Amino acid sequence: MRRALILVLSGTLAVLVACDAGTSTTGTPVVAASDAGVEQPLLDANGHPLLIPNTDPGVAFFESEVLRLVNDYRLVLGLQPLVPSTRLGDAARAHARHMIEHRFVSHITPEGLPPSARMALANMDWTLVAENVASTYSSPRDVFEAWMASPDHRANIESDKFTHAGVGYALDGAPTPDFPYIHYWAMAFLKR
């Protein structure tokens, strides 16, 4: 029953945040306003969204809970909390969705874009960028603990150099035997 519910919810979420929003004919990111004044998706040269706004309260809770866990931990260490950034969260969510659509788990996209390039294409100002990614972990606590167990991911969480962060979460509504993961996470760290 639980698996069936997860699959139904996953399918619904997958429809809401579908990855492919079109392609750029010039090979450059697209930022355009429609006649109605609504901003069109910001895309990389291959037509993949660089930012995906959140439309799901459950996803928003998962993402904000990860940032809360990270900031609570940082406070114990005497570090400043990371300032939540909607735009960073949108970028992290786009990367989580991209990992699902293209069946990879990495900081570098199959197109060769590391976090720094993706943030630059998304028109973000920064002096330092880092990212944590993960799959399989079904809760904010689980992914936080996994990142804390990884020296490189933990270093990002503990760094006093970062000032802002955004968390992205996405569900795979159609896992395959070759890529059975359902839960995808990305956390972008930034210093302005």
Side-chain angles (χ1 to χ4, degrees):
M1 174 72 176
R2 181 177 176 204
R3 184 166 175 86
L5 180 59
I6 289 172
L7 289 175
V8 169
L9 292 173
S10 298
T12 303
L13 184 59
V15 169
L16 290 175
V17 290
C19 177
D20 229 353
T23 60
S24 166
T25 57
T26 63
T28 58
V30 175
V31 183
S34 71
D35 293 334
V38 176
E39 185 176 311
Q40 296 299 312
L42 181 62
L43 309 174
D44 70 11
N46 294 302
H48 300 107
L50 293 164
L51 303 168
I52 296 179
N54 184 32
T55 59
D56 184 305
V59 169
F61 173 77
F62 264 32
E63 293 170 350
S64 64
E65 182 63 8
V66 170
L67 189 55
R68 185 195 66 78
L69 290 166
V70 166
N71 278 337
D72 285 355
Y73 176 75
R74 288 174 61 87
L75 288 172
V76 168
L77 296 180
L79 298 169
Q80 290 293 315
L82 298 167
V83 176
S85 167
T86 300
R87 194 163 179 90
L88 275 177
D90 292 350
R93 193 174 311 104
H95 188 60
R97 174 59 40 199
H98 193 74
M99 289 191 291
I100 290 171
E101 295 295 326
H102 296 279
R103 303 293 189 210
F104 73 99
V105 180
S106 175
H107 300 287
I108 300 174
T109 68
E111 301 80 23
L113 296 175
S116 57
R118 287 184 273 119
M119 299 305 158
L121 288 171
N123 301 317
M124 289 188 220
D125 294 327
W126 52 269
T127 58
L128 185 64
V129 170
E131 178 180 72
N132 287 358
V133 296
S135 64
T136 74
Y137 303 101
S138 62
S139 74
R141 170 71 61 189
D142 290 344
V143 76
F144 171 74
E145 289 175 359
W147 284 338
M148 292 302 291
S150 163
D152 290 339
H153 292 109
R154 184 181 189 130
N156 288 337
I157 290 170
E158 293 179 346
S159 176
D160 63 351
K161 295 180 172 129
F162 298 115
T163 56
H164 294 75
V167 178
Y169 170 75
L171 282 172
D172 185 351
T176 65
D178 292 336
F179 221 79
Y181 313 121
I182 296 172
H183 307 276
Y184 290 78
W185 302 86
M187 183 170 186
F189 300 84
L190 179 141
K191 178 182 179 182
R192 293 191 179 165

